[in-house]
Structure formats: C-alpha cells, structure tokens
Amino acid sequence: MAATPVRQIFETHLTVRDLDRSVAFYRDVVGLEMALRNEERNVAFFWVGGRGTTMLGLWAVGSSPLAMKLHTAFAVDLQDLLAAPEVLRKAGVTPLDFYSRPAIELSVLAWMPAASVYFEDPDGHSLEYIAMLPNNPRPEVGIVSYSEWIKGMAAAR
C-alpha cells in the first residue's frame, strides 16, 4: 500500500505566554492575516500565504518560566527576502544568520540552495523567511553569506 502523497504542511501550532503580544507580532511584524481568535480557548489562528493555504495557531499557556522553543519557516519571494532584514530592523526585531548571530545579510543553505534570514518571536521561537534559489545545489559549499554565494556563482560561470 502506497503512502498518501503530501503536498505541504497545512497547519502548525506554537505555544505563547501572552496571546495579545503574539497576535500583534504575527499580524504586524510577520504580516499574517487573522483567521480566527477564540477567547474561550485562548487561541488565535492566522492564514499563511492566503486563506485556506496554510495556518498557524497560537495557543496561550500562561506565565510558566518553562517553554518549548520551536522553529517555523515561511516561504517568501527572493525580492521580499532581500528586503526582510531591514524590514525586521524597522520593526524592532533583530535579523539573525544561520548561526543565530545578528545578520548583516542573508544566509545561503547551499545544499538546497535557498537563502534565508532568521528571527525570533516574543516567546523566543525561531522563525525564518526562506526563498529557494534558481541555482544547482552545491552541498560542498555549506552555509555561506548571500554575497559569498553570488560571488561563487559568478566565478563558476
């Protein structure tokens, strides 16, 4: 019996300490569209990529000092990704590189290849904006800055 073919992840969920703060962050900084806010269940759902495409759920869990920190990557167009570090800075969010250091520019995961920038939500969850690059994978290159990747692509021509 063959497995059911999966097209994409439809939904993912994060626990948050302050639902109002997280709703504002994902709405105003990340730019997601609110799908539903349910006060009874203390949860908010956002559409990612448009209504009915993918959903992010945020669940309030209280003020416990213990929290699980998770990772979510959002696919974006390369042109938007190139502007993302500055957009994040203007929103008061520190863009990070692959190694969680403050980012001057994008990181490239050469095995895909894809460019990305990382950042954290108010609860410390790792978020990423990522765009696939049109080049052939080069796993031997590892993780490099976007400018190094462009130089390497130019030299390979």
Side-chain angles (χ1 to χ4, degrees), residues 135-138 140-141 147-157:
N135 314 97
N136 290 325
R138 298 191 51 212
E140 72 280 3
V141 173
S147 61
E148 289 176 85
W149 177 261
I150 295 300
K151 275 189 233 172
M153 289 294 97
R157 289 187 187 145

Side-chain angles (χ1 to χ4, degrees), residues 7-89:
R7 289 191 337 248
Q8 69 185 45
I9 292 175
F10 181 76
E11 65 184 278
T12 189
H13 299 266
L14 297 174
T15 55
V16 300
R17 290 191 181 136
D18 182 329
L19 188 59
D20 290 331
R21 175 185 70 179
S22 293
V23 163
F25 179 85
Y26 282 90
R27 181 191 60 222
D28 303 338
V29 175
V30 180
L32 301 182
E33 173 190 354
M34 176 69 74
L36 174 73
R37 171 95 185 238
N38 184 319
E39 299 295 337
E40 263 181 48
R41 294 172 65 201
N42 218 8
V43 63
F45 297 99
F46 288 90
W47 292 119
V48 180
R51 186 173 302 274
T53 303
T54 302
M55 189 172 57
L56 173 66
L58 303 177
W59 297 81
V61 294
S63 60
S64 169
L66 302 175
M68 181 181 288
K69 299 191 187 221
L70 304 172
H71 175 74
T72 301
F74 298 104
V76 299
D77 291 329
L78 182 57
Q79 286 308 110
D80 294 327
L81 181 62
L82 290 168
E86 185 58 27
V87 171
L88 290 169
R89 279 186 205 94

